[in-house]
Amino acid sequence: MSHDDNPLDDPGADPFEIARTAAADLARLTGVDRHDIALTLGSGWGKAAELLGQTVATIPATEVTGFSRPALEGHVGTLRSILTPTGKRVLVIGARTHFYEGHGVRRVVHSVRTAAAAGATIMVLTNGAGGVNPSYTPGRPVLIRDHINLTAASPLEGATFVDLTDLYTPRLREIARTIDPTLDEGVYCQFRGPHYETPAEVRMAGIIGGDIVGMSTALEAIAAREAGMDVLGLSLITNLAAGIQTTPLSHDEVLEAGKAAEPVISRLLADVVEAL
Ligand code: 8IG
């Protein structure tokens, strides 16, 4: 990995101040002062951006203060400003930093804090994930109703107590279900990764109430709520979790399932965002 200076790595720095600097960078580079909605695109959701409206600007995330170099091929490191037909400003975040990269939680949630500092009041988080619920099949989108954070980490620092009772905003879930009444709601379990779970861990996830397993969204959702945003979470089931499916999991299979489902779920996501 190349040299990568990041102000968030200074423990004495204020991550919210860095987010405000990042939002100012974003405004300068995109020419758009404020955004209404932010949207993080996970595996399989990438095509939604084109369907949302007119792309006003696309910038490399690395030009914006605090953003990390993309760790993974297929995770495009761009930030995009879109104007929808009804006049909404959508910030599309194609630059996710995962907890498993080991750069700390501040870097993981920096895009969320930047979106909030840029004015966004709604955070839409999408991901590719494994299905634990035996009724799920690859290619299916699932609304996140709640989560179980198994990372043993939090984006909140110090004695910051934030209520998470309605973390995944009920009103936004209702809107999504009016667009697609067949959308199921499930509980997302975030593991640290980057290894996939063992079959025993997947059984545990099911027993404690999980329907979906992933490596990204719970920590981001907590930071979004801390910042006062409403949160909508959508998972694409790209694979059945280990032990639910009998064959070994492969990253290629995950990418393939994402590609196959992409046109359908991208349309869904674009329609949902326009209805928010
Ligand atoms: I895509 O099976 C994808 N992401 N933890 N488990 C976890 N994360 C995932 C999985 C999975 N599939």
Side-chain angles (χ1 to χ4, degrees):
M1 176 154 307
S2 57
H3 175 72
D4 182 16
D5 252 339
N6 192 308
L8 289 164
D9 295 343
D10 170 5
D14 172 2
F16 296 96
E17 194 185 314
I18 295 169
R20 284 191 293 274
T21 305
D25 292 341
L26 189 70
R28 175 171 46 79
L29 294 164
T30 61
V32 180
D33 277 350
R34 289 179 69 79
H35 286 85
D36 305 304
I37 297 174
L39 171 57
T40 299
L41 295 180
S43 315
W45 298 91
K47 288 279 178 297
E50 274 96 87
L51 302 174
L52 272 171
Q54 176 206 342
T55 297
V56 176
T58 305
I59 62 171
T62 45
E63 306 269 297
V64 176
T65 301
F67 277 75
S68 308
R69 220 161 279 286
L72 197 65
E73 198 192 332
H75 288 230
V76 208
T78 62
L79 298 171
R80 211 202 276 213
S81 179
I82 291 179
L83 180 60
T84 73
T86 62
K88 291 192 179 91
R89 297 285 184 177
V90 182
L91 175 65
V92 176
I93 300 163
R96 190 175 237 154
T97 298
H98 290 87
F99 188 51
Y100 59 68
E101 291 172 48
H103 299 304
V105 198
R106 282 184 172 190
R107 288 224 220 166
V108 170
V109 301
H110 180 59
S111 61
V112 170
R113 288 178 174 154
T114 299
T121 54
I122 296 177
M123 187 73 228
V124 182
L125 299 168
T126 68
N127 59 60
V132 175
N133 186 318
S135 75
Y136 292 169
T137 46
R140 173 171 173 176
V142 178
L143 262 180
I144 301 176
R145 171 164 54 83
D146 201 348
H147 80 218
I148 300 172
N149 173 11
L150 297 177
T151 65
S154 171
L156 311 185
E157 299 180 25
T160 309
F161 304 110
V162 172
D163 176 66
L164 302 180
T165 306
D166 281 323
L167 177 54
Y168 298 87
T169 309
R171 182 180 62 83
L172 301 187
R173 285 188 272 136
E174 265 168 49
I175 292 170
R177 277 186 281 105
T178 57
I179 302 293
D180 180 0
T182 71
L183 266 179
D184 197 23
E185 296 200 348
V187 172
Y188 177 94
C189 278
Q190 182 172 352
F191 283 82
R192 182 192 180 278
H195 51 271
Y196 294 117
E197 295 71 33
T198 63
E201 289 165 344
V202 169
R203 273 197 305 280
M204 176 193 76
I207 289 166
I208 65 178
D211 297 295
I212 310 159
V213 284
M215 305 178 191
S216 63
T217 295
L219 295 173
E220 297 166 355
I222 295 167
R225 175 48 52 90
E226 178 193 28
M229 301 164 101
D230 282 309
V231 179
L232 180 68
L234 282 159
S235 288
L236 169 68
I237 306 300
T238 58
N239 59 280
L240 301 183
I244 307 281
Q245 81 174 37
T246 49
T247 52
L249 270 53
S250 83
H251 183 60
D252 286 346
E253 164 198 313
V254 161
L255 292 179
E256 220 159 277
K259 267 209 189 82
E262 201 155 40
V264 177
I265 62 166
S266 296
R267 180 78 262 160
L268 167 67
L269 180 56
D271 291 347
V272 168
V273 169
E274 190 64 318
L276 293 176

